[in-house]
């Protein structure tokens, strides 16, 4: 009887440990190669997604004038990176603008530095950005604000997790908790 109970406890702890390494957000099954792209980085350099092989990439899409979703998502990513501790150095956040009319490299750099100075923005021509959005299934709609010359850009708000080998592994919708983000990145980092 004691042996059966001990075996049951051992099996449940092994199953619990295995469940803890599983992703908590939408999983790409099977994983597939992330569409590569080359854009201008917020630090002024050329940003090629594949240059981050060996790191986990959190790829997002948004814009600096976004009133709510983008700042919330970036704040969560900054908190998740901080919770990773020293392993956070192996996470690269890349944020691609959906508003090239207003978001040049310098504006992206200043905006992202409010969250984490290691976050990189990416911009390019409207056609380059449309090609990248198409590769990731990101949709946008520009909506003018009545009575002003200003506008909002409604956009898909997912964060794609790309593993060290450049494979799409997970897609996190807006509102995923910091703990779930941290867990999934940690799983991809191997610990």
């Amino acid at each position: 009887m004691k042996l059966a109970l001990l075996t049951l406890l051992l099996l449940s702890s092994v199953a619990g440990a295995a469940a803890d390494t599983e992703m908590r957000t939408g999983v790409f099954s099977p994983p597939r190669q992330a569409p590569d792209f080359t854009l201008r980085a917020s630090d002024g350099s050329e940003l090629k997604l594949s240059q981050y092989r060996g790191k986990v990439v959190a790829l997002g899409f948004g814009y600096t004038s976004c009133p709510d979703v983008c700042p919330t998502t970036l704040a969560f990513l900054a908190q998740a990176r901080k919770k990773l501790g020293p392993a956070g150095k192996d996470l690269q956040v890349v944020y691609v603008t959906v508003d090239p009319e207003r978001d040049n490299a310098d504006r992206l750099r200043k905006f992202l530095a409010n969250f984490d100075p290691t976050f990189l923005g990416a911009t390019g021509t409207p056609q380059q950005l449309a090609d990248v959005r198409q590769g990731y299934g990101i949709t946008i709609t520009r909506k003018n604000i009545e009575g002003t010359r200003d506008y909002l850009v409604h956009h898909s708000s997912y964060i794609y997790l790309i593993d060290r080998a450049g494979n799409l592994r997970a897609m996190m919708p807006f509102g995923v908790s910091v703990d779930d983000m941290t867990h999934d990145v940690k799983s991809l980092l191997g610990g």
Side-chain angles (χ1 to χ4, degrees):
M1 181 76 150
K2 285 184 180 180
L3 183 59
L5 182 57
L6 186 58
T7 303
L8 183 60
L9 285 172
L10 180 62
L11 288 175
S12 67
S13 69
V14 169
D20 197 44
T21 61
E22 292 177 8
M23 305 291 274
R24 294 182 181 170
T25 56
V27 176
F28 285 92
S29 183
R32 62 181 175 90
Q33 194 70 40
D36 201 7
F37 57 82
T38 302
L39 295 170
R40 183 160 184 234
S42 55
D43 65 4
S45 68
E46 181 179 86
L47 184 151
K48 188 170 176 74
L49 183 64
S50 58
Q51 78 190 56
Y52 296 103
R53 298 263 166 80
K55 288 189 171 203
V56 170
V57 175
L59 175 66
F61 295 81
Y63 65 114
T64 63
S65 300
C66 180
D68 45 24
V69 172
C70 302
T72 301
T73 300
L74 289 164
F76 279 19
L77 284 166
Q79 290 173 39
R81 188 171 184 279
K82 189 173 183 178
K83 285 182 87 167
L84 289 167
K89 70 178 176 18
D90 288 328
L91 170 65
Q92 180 61 60
V93 173
V94 175
Y95 214 64
V96 178
T97 187
V98 296
D99 186 12
E101 189 174 312
R102 294 184 285 196
D103 288 346
N104 61 31
D106 188 53
R107 184 170 175 159
L108 281 165
R109 181 185 52 74
K110 289 175 183 172
F111 176 70
L112 293 170
N114 291 314
F115 301 97
D116 186 306
T118 68
F119 289 6
L120 279 174
T123 190
T125 68
Q127 187 58 54
Q128 287 174 314
L129 293 167
D131 291 345
V132 173
R133 287 193 311 269
Q134 182 178 8
Y136 287 90
I138 300 295
T139 60
I140 64 168
T141 306
R142 183 174 159 158
K143 181 170 170 54
N144 292 325
I145 299 173
E146 194 173 323
T148 72
R149 297 176 66 185
D150 207 4
Y151 60 91
L152 297 172
V153 181
H154 298 285
H155 59 91
S156 308
S157 53
Y158 305 110
I159 297 294
Y160 293 90
L161 289 182
I162 301 167
D163 68 18
R164 294 177 188 265
N167 295 309
L168 285 168
R169 296 294 301 276
M171 183 172 74
M172 297 185 286
F174 176 71
V176 169
S177 73
V178 172
D179 287 340
D180 285 347
M181 283 183 183
T182 305
H183 176 274
D184 286 0
V185 170
K186 196 178 226 181
S187 292
L188 293 178
L189 288 171

